[in-house]
Amino acid sequence: MPLTTQATPTTYWLEHAWLGTHVEPGVTVDVADGRITAVRTGADTPPPGATALRGLTLPGLANAHSHAFHRALRGTVQVGTGTFWTWREIMYSVADRLTPETYYALARAVYAEMALAGITCVGEFHYLHHAPGGTRYDDPNAMGEALVSAAEDAGIRITLLDTAYLSAGFGAAPNAHQLRFSDGTAERWAERADALKERAHARIGAAIHSVRAVPAGQLGTVADWARERQAPLHVHLSEQTAENDACRDAHGCTPTRLLADHGALGRRTTAVHATHLTTEDIELLGDSRTGVCMCPTTERDLADGIGPAARLQGRGSPLSLGSDSHAVIDLLEEARAMELDERLRTRTRGHWTAAALLRAATADGHAALGWDDAGALETGALADLTTIALDSVRTAGPLPRLAAETAVFAASAADVRHTIVGGRQIVRDGVHTLVPDVPTALAESIAAVRG
C-alpha cells in the first residue's frame, strides 16, 4: 500500500514533545491533509478521540545520506582488515548483481528499517543507473524509479539525489564496475535526470559523486542543473586523503577549492564527509553556507577519520547526519557519535547541546534534502513525527525534562515506538504497518544479491 497522507483530521497527544529548544509535557498536535494545523500545550491527559503517543516525540528524523544497496554489505565487510579501497571492491561486487526488481525489494526493506528507526525522509545518493556494461534500460531511470517506489511503499519520503559519476579518477575512464554508473558526459547525465518527476513523497536533487568522478570542466553542468531547478546538490568531499593528493596533482588545489572555482558551493549544496580539510577549505564551505553531512558510523567503520564538524559549524556550515553505508541505521547514534568523536579528538566535552544535535537530525537534515517544510513541531509543517520510548532499559530513570539528553546520549533506534509520516502512522508500537516482517524482507532481498 503506497504512502498517503492522513485525509481525516486527526489529533495526537504527545506525552512529552521536543519543541526545538525544550521538552514540553502534554502537547496536542492537530493534523489535516498531512500537515500540522495546531500545536497546543498544557494537555495533562489525552483529549477525547486523540491518539496517545507516550514517550518523547520529535519531528521525524532526516537521513541525509544513504546508499541503499550498501545495506547488503553489513557483516560481510567486517571480516578481516583493509581500507576504504578494499571495502570498495566488495561494494562493487554487490552493485554488479542488482536489477531494478532486486533493487526495489532491497531498498523497500532498507527504507522500512529506516522507518522503524524513526527516519521519515531519506536522501538517496543514487549512482547505480544502468545495466551491467553500461547499457541503458528501456526506461533509463529504471533504477531511480525503483528507489522512489520503494520509499513510497515503505511509507517514507525521499529526495533522490541523482548522481553524476563519469570517471574512475582524474582523467581515467570508468572501470568495468563503474560503467553502470556513468552516462558518459554531464550533458547526457542532465538529459537523463530531466526525465525524473517529483511526487508527493519524492523530490529530485542532484549529486556530484566526487571531484575524482566528474571531470573539472563538467562540474559546472551539474551545479547549473541543480541551480536552475532550485534543487539540492550533494557531493562526497575529501573523504580520503588520497583524493586530496590526486586532486592537487591534477589541478594544483584541494577538492573544495575546485568545487568553489566551478560554482558548486552554496546554500543548496551539501558536502558529505568533509573529513580531511584545510583551514581554507573550512572557510570556503562556511562562508558560502555550504552544508555538511557527517556520517560518523560509516566514517569510523571505514577508518576514514574524524571530520572537523565543530569548526565547520562555527564558520557557518549547517550540519546534517546520514547513515551512508548502513553499518547501522540509527540517526540517534549518528548524533551521539558526532559529539563523542569530537570529545575523543579534543579531550573536552560539550561541543553540541542535545538540542543542537537533534536539530542536525531533523530540521537541518530536511533542509539539506529540500524539505524546508519539515523538521519542526509547528503549525504548517509536514506532520512527520517520531516517538522515542522513555521507559526502556536504556532510557528509564532520567527526569522527563532531560528527555532530549536521554534520547541523544542513551537511546537507540530500538527505542523508537511510533513513526508518523504525513499524519499517518507508519510504525505503531514498534511494528511497521506496511511491511509486516521487515527482518525477513531484509534477509530475502539481501540473499537475492549476495554472491
Side-chain angles (χ1 to χ4, degrees):
M1 183 185 299
L3 185 154
T4 57
T5 59
Q6 183 71 38
T8 305
T10 301
T11 297
Y12 289 100
W13 177 77
L14 319 182
E15 184 181 27
H16 302 283
W18 182 67
L19 298 183
T21 57
H22 67 286
V23 174
E24 182 76 22
V27 174
T28 59
V29 173
D30 294 339
V31 175
D33 297 323
R35 292 187 179 271
I36 297 173
T37 57
V39 177
R40 296 184 296 274
T41 60
D44 294 335
T45 59
T51 299
L53 303 180
R54 297 193 179 276
L56 172 68
T57 298
L58 318 166
L61 305 177
N63 187 353
H65 190 66
S66 162
H67 302 291
F69 76 92
H70 290 190
R71 175 62 177 82
L73 303 175
R74 188 183 295 178
T76 302
V77 291
Q78 310 306 328
V79 177
T81 62
T83 66
F84 167 85
W85 307 103
T86 53
W87 169 90
R88 190 173 70 159
E89 292 304 312
I90 302 172
M91 179 270 289
Y92 284 155
S93 70
V94 172
D96 288 343
R97 290 188 288 273
L98 284 163
T99 66
E101 294 74 24
T102 58
Y103 204 5
Y104 164 81
L106 176 58
R108 174 177 172 268
V110 173
Y111 296 153
E113 181 182 356
M114 290 186 192
L116 289 171
I119 293 164
T120 57
C121 184
V122 61
E124 184 61 38
F125 198 104
H126 167 56
Y127 54 82
L128 186 53
H129 302 304
H130 307 302
T135 302
R136 289 194 169 202
Y137 292 104
D138 291 340
D139 174 0
N141 286 307
M143 295 294 265
E145 292 292 346
L147 292 165
V148 171
S149 294
E152 182 176 34
D153 292 346
I156 70 172
R157 305 185 195 276
I158 186 172
T159 297
L160 187 72
L161 298 161
D162 196 277
T163 304
Y165 192 138
L166 308 174
S167 66
F170 297 95
N175 65 32
H177 302 292
Q178 295 163 342
L179 290 172
R180 295 199 73 174
F181 312 158
S182 178
D183 290 294
T185 67
E187 288 75 16
R188 291 196 71 200
W189 165 83
E191 178 185 356
R192 181 184 52 72
D194 276 340
L196 290 163
K197 304 301 181 186
E198 295 193 342
R199 272 144 275 187
H201 80 290
R203 295 182 181 172
I204 307 300
I208 295 165
H209 178 273
S210 57
V211 295
R212 69 177 186 274
V214 177
Q218 299 184 58
L219 293 170
T221 300
V222 184
D224 289 344
W225 187 95
R227 186 177 302 108
E228 289 165 5
R229 290 158 182 78
Q230 300 285 294
L233 173 66
H234 287 219
V235 55
H236 289 136
L237 179 64
S238 292
E239 183 178 3
Q240 299 291 324
T241 55
E243 176 184 293
N244 292 351
D245 294 341
C247 189
R248 287 190 182 95
D249 290 343
H251 298 290
C253 64
T254 67
T256 303
R257 168 53 71 183
L258 190 66
L259 290 170
D261 289 348
H262 288 83
L265 301 185
R267 293 180 184 273
R268 285 188 302 277
T269 299
T270 297
V272 181
H273 301 303
T275 308
H276 303 285
L277 302 179
T278 66
T279 296
E280 183 194 33
D281 292 340
I282 293 170
E283 293 169 353
L284 287 169
L285 293 168
D287 292 350
S288 64
R289 298 302 185 264
T290 298
V292 175
C293 179
M294 307 302 294
C295 306
T297 65
T298 290
E299 288 148 8
R300 68 192 184 195
D301 183 59
L302 298 181
D304 287 341
I306 301 171
R311 292 177 63 197
L312 283 160
Q313 189 168 55
R315 187 72 188 197
S317 290
L319 299 179
S320 55
L321 297 164
S323 62
D324 191 5
S325 68
H326 312 313
V328 297
I329 294 177
D330 188 340
L331 261 287
L332 298 174
E333 173 62 21
E334 303 294 346
R336 175 163 55 244
M338 189 163 72
E339 166 67 23
L340 298 186
D341 286 355
E342 191 70 14
R343 291 182 186 186
L344 285 175
R345 177 166 54 187
T346 63
R347 291 182 287 179
T348 60
R349 304 173 76 230
H351 301 275
W352 291 275
T353 63
L357 294 169
L358 287 175
R359 180 174 179 83
T362 56
D364 287 345
H366 281 97
L369 298 176
W371 296 86
D372 295 311
D373 49 352
L377 300 183
E378 61 186 28
T379 301
L382 290 168
D384 298 353
L385 314 175
T386 295
T387 302
I388 298 168
L390 296 178
D391 56 0
S392 77
V393 293
R394 287 165 293 277
T395 61
L399 295 171
R401 64 180 175 79
L402 298 176
E405 286 77 10
T406 303
V408 171
F409 292 105
S412 76
D415 296 308
V416 172
R417 182 171 282 165
H418 309 293
T419 303
I420 294 167
V421 182
R424 178 189 182 193
Q425 279 201 270
I426 302 302
V427 174
R428 183 182 294 114
D429 295 321
V431 177
H432 202 289
T433 62
L434 304 180
V435 184
D437 187 348
V438 178
T440 295
L442 286 163
E444 291 178 348
S445 62
I446 290 170
V449 299
R450 184 183 296 131

